[in-house]
């Protein structure tokens, strides 16, 4: 006891603001249920597994630890069985999955000799007792972060609910027998809470759903809120209320009052319709879900090094699928596993290793690649007294700390919502590049980076070049290049006949276009006309031809299939198409050739109009389209100007993100300040390898924020040569770091696929297929199994490895 008393100065009583880790080791995936339990440092409140706590003692000298060990609890046989509960989508709670119960024991341990004192004990110093009690009673930091993310995703009260105007036009909504006022749809109906109009919802990508009459009505009237008929019951919290200007499901605290205005007695209604979230879940299940997940097939479950699943943290499959493919590359494998031990990363980490990306990437790599956690999970036996058996399925490791670090600077990825795997991949590589300080020797993200050169041919015969660096090749899908046109024509004829007969087309009768990947690549390289291009040779606007090629071939080439487009009315649509992807591709023909003998560069210069005035001017076409959606005209002008007139989608995204800006209603200045950017920030982006023109445009679009500007550049790969661009980069010199990029032949082999199921990249599910040890393997969150039929024609992201032999 004297030894403990002599170290009381190293014991802290945690404050409410302290982050206390007690559920997972900060350098491994050990938990209190692991064989050695967890050791919580009573000075820093960081947790360490049995094999790693000595490292912390050597680094910090902190000797006093709270040891936490959980063992499975034996429950009497006459324990009452739990009734299954329903899945609650979008609300608090969930379902009881009958998790086994655990018994927790605590001891005070003093290093380095592991002198142990039992807890609780009245003989312990009061300070120690208070500290341990506070640690045990506190919510763990891991749990706090998860709860914060879930809370952030709860439906918000609509800003339009409390002062919603309602028009007394005599409309009384009957309790049943509803029909769209503009078509014959009798389901997926929405009641506008301002004028009582009943209209059908949005049309889904597969033709089901409504006819977009409800959203069209909003665009005509700007009446903001609608409730889905069929979801209204005595439990008004379950009703599906949608806010069009907020573009989200919301809470209407006055819903009962708003419904009563139209004579609706909500207490007499029974739920007959699925909510939007439930319908999304149903659609996602129906669209080739089984094929991508290879459900119903007798797949061999795999365990061992490199075959560790990732537990789903709640809509985190986009991250899990991406990381499984990324850590299958030699560059990331060697950087964070083969060439960097956990101890090395811990010694280099700051005082709190949970916030260090290098440490958490190393922890994740060792967790995924070592095979230590790729073991069959214990079965949750109904008979708690029976011996604990095991199942071949593994539990997977939960990448909580990694997610917290990688998402710290990104509000969307830090939420519990589903995200776009492509956006996450680009964000991830950007963060890896930053943490490695741009060192080509250390930075594994460089294995994905390549140069793109866009060649612009002016009618004068002179040429200009624009260069940029990228991590992905984003490909449009030319549906007119489908190889099964005869089958498609026959299908459309059959579909028309069935519709005329009032019948539905069965799923096994559906024929989808099949487009070769070669056609997508050829479409990328094909000449493209640029209207209103200002030629410095002709000193006038003209039509130029743009072609694009690669200045280098990366070690790993990522192809992004643009399956998500915006149809008329700006409704997102997913292309229902198959891509025929071969195992080996050769893109040698896509290498750019630069300035050729006999060609002359366009002279340097700027348009006369730019010399005369630098005033920001909004593109009226963009403004008009935004105004037609119900947005304020001044706000639309600002959105167009601040996104450099890049397009309606970019302006709308800016507008939605800046609606609450304090200066949003300040008139547009006629001065030149709108086009001014901080030259030091431009220089910073230039040091990243970006072109000056695109750097300035990105800074304008992001309000001068360097990080947002970088994201803007990655998310707008075509922005550097937009139709309103009046200047060209005449120099054919390489961009910074262009010559240092990995390069080789243009022959590649397919090794990874990230597939998506669902109506949008922000809903549904992501799955990865990876070619490992000569066979395809499916990584579906914590499920790891041999793939029987990998969906090579259904990928969203395709990963290729350069073949130099």
């Amino acid at each position: 006891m004297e030894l403990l008393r002599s170290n009381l100065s190293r014991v802290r009583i945690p404050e409410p603001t302290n982050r206390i880790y007690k559920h997972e080791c900060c350098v491994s995936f050990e938990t209190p249920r692991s064989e050695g339990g967890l050791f919580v440092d009573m000075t820093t409140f960081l947790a360490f597994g049995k094999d790693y706590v000595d490292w912390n003692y050597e680094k910090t000298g902190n000797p006093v630890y709270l040891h936490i060990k959980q063992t499975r609890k034996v429950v009497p046989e006459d324990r009452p069985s739990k009734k299954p509960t329903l899945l609650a989508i979008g609300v608090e709670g969930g379902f009881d999955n009958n998790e086994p119960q655990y018994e927790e024991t605590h001891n005070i341990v003093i290093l380095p000799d592991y002198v142990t004192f039992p807890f609780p004990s009245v003989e312990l110093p009061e300070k120690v007792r208070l500290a341990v009690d506070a640690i045990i009673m506190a919510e763990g930091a891991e749990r706090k972060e998860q709860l914060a993310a879930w809370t952030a995703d709860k439906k918000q009260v609509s800003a339009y609910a409390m002062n919603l105007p309602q028009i007394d036009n005599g409309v009384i909504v009957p309790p049943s027998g509803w029909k769209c006022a503009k078509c014959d749809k009798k389901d997926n109906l929405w009641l506008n809470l301002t004028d009582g109009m009943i209209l059908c919802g949005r049309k889904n990508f597969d033709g089901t759903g409504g006819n977009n009459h409800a959203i069209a009505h909003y665009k005509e009237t700007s009446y903001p809120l609608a409730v889905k008929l069929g979801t209204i019951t005595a439990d008004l919290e379950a009703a599906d209320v949608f806010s069009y200007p907020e573009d989200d499901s919301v809470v209407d605290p006055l819903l009962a009052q708003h419904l009563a205005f139209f004579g609706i007695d909500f207490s007499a209604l029974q739920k007959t319709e699925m909510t939007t979230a439930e319908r999304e879940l149903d659609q996602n299940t129906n669209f080739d879900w089984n094929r991508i997940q290879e459900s119903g097939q007798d797949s061999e479950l795999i365990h061992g090094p490199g075959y560790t699943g990732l537990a789903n943290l709640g809509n985190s499959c986009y991250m899990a699928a991406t990381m499984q493919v990324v850590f299958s590359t030699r560059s990331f494998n060697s950087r964070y596993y083969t060439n960097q031990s956990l101890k090395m990363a811990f010694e280099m980490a700051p005082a709190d290793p949970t916030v260090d990306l290098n440490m958490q990437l190393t922890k994740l790599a060792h967790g995924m690649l070592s095979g230590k956690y790729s073991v069959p999970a214990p079965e949750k036996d109904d008979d708690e007294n029976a011996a604990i058996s095991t199942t071949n399925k593994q539990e997977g490791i939960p990448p909580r700390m990694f997610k917290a670090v990688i998402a710290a600077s990104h509000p969307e990825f830090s939420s519990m919502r589903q995200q776009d795997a492509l956006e996450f991949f680009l964000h991830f590589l950007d963060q890896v590049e930053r943490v490695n300080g741009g060192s080509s020797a250390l930075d594994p993200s460089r294995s994905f980076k390549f140069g793109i050169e866009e060649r612009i041919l002016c009618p004068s015969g002179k040429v200009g070049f624009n260069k940029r660096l990228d991590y992905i090749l984003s490909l449009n899908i030319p549906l007119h290049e489908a190889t099964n046109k005869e089958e498609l024509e026959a299908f459309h004829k059959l579909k028309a006949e069935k519709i005329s007969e009032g019948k539905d087309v069965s799923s096994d009768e559906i024929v989808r276009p099949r487009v070769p990947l070669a056609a997508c690549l050829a479409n990328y390289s094909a000449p493209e006309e640029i209207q209103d291009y200002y030629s410095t040779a002709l000193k006038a606007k003209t039509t130029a031809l743009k072609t694009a090629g690669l200045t280098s071939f990366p070690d790993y080439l990522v192809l992004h299939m643009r399956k998500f487009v915006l149809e008329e009315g700006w409704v997102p649509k997913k292309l229902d198409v198959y891509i025929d992807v071969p195992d080996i591709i050769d893109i040698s023909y896509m290498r750019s050739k630069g300035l050729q003998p006999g060609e002359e560069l366009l002279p340097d210069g700027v348009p006369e109009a730019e010399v005369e005035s630098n005033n920001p001017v909004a593109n009226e076409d963009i403004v008009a389209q935004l105004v037609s959606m119900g947005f304020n005209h001044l706000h639309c002008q600002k959105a167009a100007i601040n996104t450099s007139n890049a397009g309606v989608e970019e302006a709308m995204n800016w507008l939605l993100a800046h609606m609450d800006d304090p200066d949003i209603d300040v008139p547009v200045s006629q001065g030149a300040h709108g086009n001014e950017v901080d030259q030091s920030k431009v220089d910073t982006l230039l040091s990243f390898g970006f072109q000056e023109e695109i750097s300035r445009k990105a800074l304008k679009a992001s309000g001068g924020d360097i990080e947002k500007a970088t994201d803007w550049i990655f998310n707008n790969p075509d922005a550097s040569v937009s139709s309103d661009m009046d200047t060209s980069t005449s120099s054919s010199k390489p961009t910074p770091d262009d010559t240092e990029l990995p390069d080789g032949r243009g022959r590649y082999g397919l090794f990874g696929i990230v597939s998506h199921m669902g109506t949008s990249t922000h809903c549904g599910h992501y799955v990865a297929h990876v070619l490992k040890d000569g066979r395809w393997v499916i990584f579906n969150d914590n499920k790891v199994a041999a793939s029987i039929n990998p969906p090579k024609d259904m990928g969203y992201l395709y990963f290729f490895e350069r073949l130099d032999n």
Side-chain angles (χ1 to χ4, degrees):
M1 195 63 68
E2 284 305 314
L3 179 62
L4 179 57
R5 295 184 188 279
S6 65
N7 285 291
L8 281 181
S9 61
R10 310 300 290 268
V11 174
R12 289 174 57 210
I13 300 175
E15 300 289 337
T17 55
N18 290 139
R19 298 164 73 220
I20 300 172
Y21 290 90
K22 58 179 183 177
H23 298 300
E24 181 179 300
C25 173
C26 62
V27 297
S28 74
F29 290 93
E30 302 298 295
T31 72
R33 299 176 190 176
S34 300
E35 185 177 354
L38 274 191
F39 294 78
V40 178
D41 185 330
M42 295 189 68
T43 303
T44 63
F45 311 121
L46 294 170
F48 298 88
K50 177 68 170 65
D51 295 334
Y52 314 101
V53 65
D54 286 325
W55 299 352
N56 185 61
Y57 174 70
E58 293 169 6
K59 182 177 180 178
T60 65
N62 296 338
V64 186
Y65 295 82
L66 170 63
H67 180 245
I68 305 175
K69 183 71 176 78
Q70 292 180 347
T71 53
R72 187 160 175 167
K73 189 176 183 180
V74 177
V75 180
E77 288 185 26
D78 59 353
R79 174 177 61 112
S81 60
K82 297 181 181 179
K83 294 181 180 180
T85 57
L86 296 176
L87 174 65
I89 299 178
V91 298
E92 293 181 47
F95 61 90
D96 180 6
N97 58 358
N98 200 18
E99 285 284 347
Q101 298 179 25
Y102 286 84
E103 212 164 31
E104 190 168 281
T105 57
H106 308 93
N107 289 286
I108 308 300
V109 178
I110 301 179
L111 268 58
D113 297 324
Y114 289 86
V115 177
T116 303
F117 302 92
F119 182 90
S121 171
V122 293
E123 296 180 4
L124 292 172
E126 182 182 16
K127 184 179 182 182
V128 174
R129 296 201 305 270
L130 291 173
V132 174
D133 284 337
I135 292 172
I136 293 173
M137 296 299 294
E139 192 78 75
E142 308 93 334
R143 177 69 175 161
K144 272 186 178 180
E145 290 170 359
Q146 190 176 17
L147 287 174
W150 275 117
T151 303
D153 284 343
K154 290 175 64 177
K155 287 183 183 179
Q156 302 298 310
V157 173
S158 172
Y160 300 87
M162 304 308 292
N163 299 303
L164 182 73
Q166 292 193 283
I167 300 172
D168 189 4
N169 51 12
V171 172
I172 298 296
V173 178
S176 59
W178 309 305
K179 185 172 80 70
C180 176
K182 295 187 178 181
C183 70
D184 294 327
K185 284 284 184 182
K186 295 182 179 180
D187 58 3
N188 193 19
L189 298 176
W190 295 78
L191 169 69
N192 190 288
L193 292 174
T194 293
D195 63 1
M197 284 285 284
I198 296 176
L199 299 162
C200 59
R202 305 188 193 219
K203 181 178 291 185
N204 299 321
F205 71 95
D206 58 357
T208 62
N211 292 316
N212 298 325
H213 287 139
I215 191 171
H217 184 63
Y218 160 69
K219 292 175 181 178
E220 293 169 4
T221 63
S222 297
Y223 298 154
L225 300 184
V227 61
K228 189 171 186 179
L229 294 174
T231 67
I232 308 169
T233 67
D235 178 16
L236 281 185
E237 290 185 0
D240 197 357
V241 180
F242 192 84
S243 170
Y244 292 104
E246 293 165 302
D247 193 27
D248 206 352
S249 293
V250 296
V251 173
D252 178 4
L254 304 179
L255 182 58
Q257 174 184 321
H258 293 153
L259 292 173
F261 187 85
F262 298 111
I264 296 178
D265 178 9
F266 66 88
S267 62
L269 293 172
Q270 295 297 318
K271 181 174 176 178
T272 59
E273 284 277 1
M274 288 187 291
T275 64
T276 302
E278 290 168 328
R279 184 170 293 279
E280 281 182 359
L281 184 59
D282 184 62
Q283 289 169 343
N284 296 343
T285 303
N286 291 333
F287 182 68
D288 287 323
W289 190 280
N290 290 338
R291 183 171 168 217
I292 289 179
Q293 295 194 113
E294 303 190 52
S295 301
Q297 301 189 35
D298 190 15
S299 302
E300 173 199 353
L301 297 176
I302 307 176
H303 306 93
Y307 296 102
T308 306
L310 294 175
N312 196 312
L313 305 178
N315 291 323
S316 62
C317 55
Y318 68 92
M319 178 179 68
T322 304
M323 298 314 296
Q324 290 289 4
V325 182
V326 165
F327 274 111
S328 296
T329 64
R330 291 190 306 274
S331 54
F332 274 86
N333 185 308
S334 60
R335 172 69 179 89
Y336 293 109
Y337 180 62
T338 307
N339 297 334
Q340 181 157 280
S341 67
L342 286 170
K343 187 172 185 180
M344 185 188 307
F346 178 67
E347 289 173 346
M348 293 188 298
D352 186 353
T354 66
V355 298
D356 182 57
L357 181 58
N358 179 65
M359 176 70 252
Q360 294 309 314
L361 274 171
T362 307
K363 169 182 171 176
L364 184 63
H366 281 256
M368 294 172 63
L369 301 174
S370 67
K372 181 177 182 179
Y373 306 99
S374 181
V375 294
E379 282 188 350
K380 295 164 187 175
D381 202 316
D382 289 336
D383 183 1
E384 298 287 354
N385 285 322
I388 298 175
S389 56
T390 59
T391 177
N392 283 330
K393 189 175 181 180
Q394 54 179 285
E395 290 183 347
I397 54 175
R400 293 189 191 92
M401 292 185 187
F402 165 72
K403 184 176 186 287
V405 175
I406 199 68
S409 59
H410 199 291
E412 285 302 313
F413 296 137
S414 60
S415 74
M416 301 297 282
R417 292 185 292 271
Q418 184 66 279
Q419 302 297 331
D420 186 349
L422 171 66
E423 291 180 10
F424 175 76
F425 175 67
L426 293 175
H427 173 74
F428 169 74
L429 291 184
D430 178 56
Q431 296 299 308
V432 170
E433 182 178 25
R434 293 186 186 192
V435 79
N436 283 284
S439 169
S440 57
L442 292 176
D443 184 10
S445 71
R446 293 183 69 82
S447 62
F448 288 94
K449 186 179 284 189
F450 57 93
I452 293 178
E453 181 178 78
E454 292 168 334
R455 179 179 184 271
I456 302 165
L457 175 63
C458 169
S460 67
K462 298 180 180 180
V463 295
F465 295 92
N466 287 293
K467 293 187 178 183
R468 70 173 189 271
L469 302 178
D470 214 330
Y471 289 117
I472 56 106
L473 202 59
S474 190
L475 303 177
N476 289 317
I477 302 174
L479 295 177
H480 62 278
E481 296 285 355
T483 57
N484 58 339
K485 292 179 181 176
E486 291 183 4
E487 292 90 338
L488 283 169
E489 290 176 5
F491 166 67
H492 289 308
K493 183 178 179 181
L494 171 66
K495 184 178 179 181
E497 291 174 355
K498 292 227 173 185
I499 291 175
S500 66
E501 296 171 0
K503 299 179 181 178
D504 293 328
V505 179
S506 62
S507 58
D508 56 356
E509 292 178 312
I510 295 176
V511 177
R512 299 184 176 94
R514 282 196 168 275
V515 179
L517 178 63
C520 302
L521 291 167
N523 182 69
Y524 180 87
S525 301
E528 174 188 350
E529 285 191 350
I530 304 177
Q531 304 293 330
D532 296 328
Y533 175 79
Y534 181 84
S535 167
T536 54
L538 301 176
K539 298 189 181 302
K541 288 189 175 183
T542 184
T543 299
L545 280 181
K546 182 193 81 172
T547 54
L550 279 65
T551 61
S552 61
F553 292 140
D555 294 337
Y556 299 100
L557 177 68
V558 182
L559 302 182
H560 162 233
M561 310 311 299
R562 292 184 175 176
K563 289 189 173 183
F564 296 92
V565 296
L566 290 177
E567 61 180 2
E568 187 177 354
W570 298 98
V571 178
K573 173 186 177 182
K574 183 177 182 180
L575 297 180
D576 196 4
V577 61
Y578 290 133
I579 309 296
D580 287 329
V581 179
D583 291 331
I584 296 177
I585 61 173
D586 193 332
I587 60 168
S588 300
Y589 69 94
M590 295 181 69
R591 187 182 287 275
S592 61
K593 298 178 174 62
L595 186 66
Q596 297 297 294
E599 289 183 336
E600 185 178 349
L601 287 171
L602 284 164
D604 292 328
V606 294
E608 293 178 7
E610 278 195 17
V611 175
E612 294 173 2
S613 174
N614 282 324
N615 292 345
V617 177
N619 183 307
E620 285 305 319
D621 290 338
I622 295 175
V623 173
Q625 291 191 57
L626 290 175
V627 169
S628 71
M629 298 178 188
F631 294 109
N632 177 282
H633 188 273
L634 172 62
H635 300 176
C636 297
Q637 284 185 314
K638 288 194 168 188
I641 290 171
N642 280 286
T643 55
S644 301
N645 295 315
V648 174
E649 186 175 3
E650 291 82 356
M652 184 167 61
N653 289 337
W654 185 95
L655 187 57
L656 293 173
H658 293 79
M659 291 182 72
D660 295 327
D661 287 2
D663 61 347
I664 190 68
D665 292 314
V666 176
V668 177
S669 170
Q670 297 302 310
H673 70 273
N675 274 352
E676 292 179 359
V677 294
D678 189 333
Q679 183 59 41
S680 66
K681 295 181 179 179
V682 175
D683 293 339
T684 300
L685 289 178
L686 289 176
S687 70
F688 293 164
F690 300 125
Q691 187 182 351
E692 181 167 358
E693 178 194 355
I694 190 65
S695 298
R696 290 184 178 279
K697 182 177 287 189
L699 286 167
K700 293 174 192 174
S702 57
D705 186 293
I706 290 179
E707 184 172 342
K708 291 180 180 178
T710 305
D711 292 338
W712 188 91
I713 293 172
F714 285 138
N715 292 328
N716 294 271
D718 298 325
S720 58
V721 191
S722 57
S723 60
D724 63 337
M725 189 186 73
D726 290 329
T727 61
S728 67
T729 301
S730 299
S731 173
S732 61
K733 296 178 182 178
T735 54
D737 293 332
D738 189 25
T739 56
E740 299 178 13
L741 293 177
D743 199 4
R745 297 171 58 192
R747 193 164 175 267
Y748 286 87
L750 179 68
F751 80 94
I753 307 167
V754 171
S755 306
H756 172 265
M757 297 154 280
T759 58
S760 160
T761 53
H762 296 283
C763 70
H765 188 57
Y766 288 93
V767 171
H769 285 78
V770 182
L771 185 62
K772 278 179 175 278
D773 301 325
R775 64 175 174 179
W776 282 95
V777 178
I778 179 174
F779 290 88
N780 185 1
D781 288 332
N782 61 318
K783 176 187 175 182
V784 182
S787 174
I788 297 174
N789 185 26
K792 295 181 183 179
D793 53 3
M794 300 182 70
Y796 176 55
L797 301 176
Y798 290 97
F799 292 75
F800 289 84
E801 181 177 15
R802 194 176 67 233
L803 305 174
D804 284 330
N805 49 16

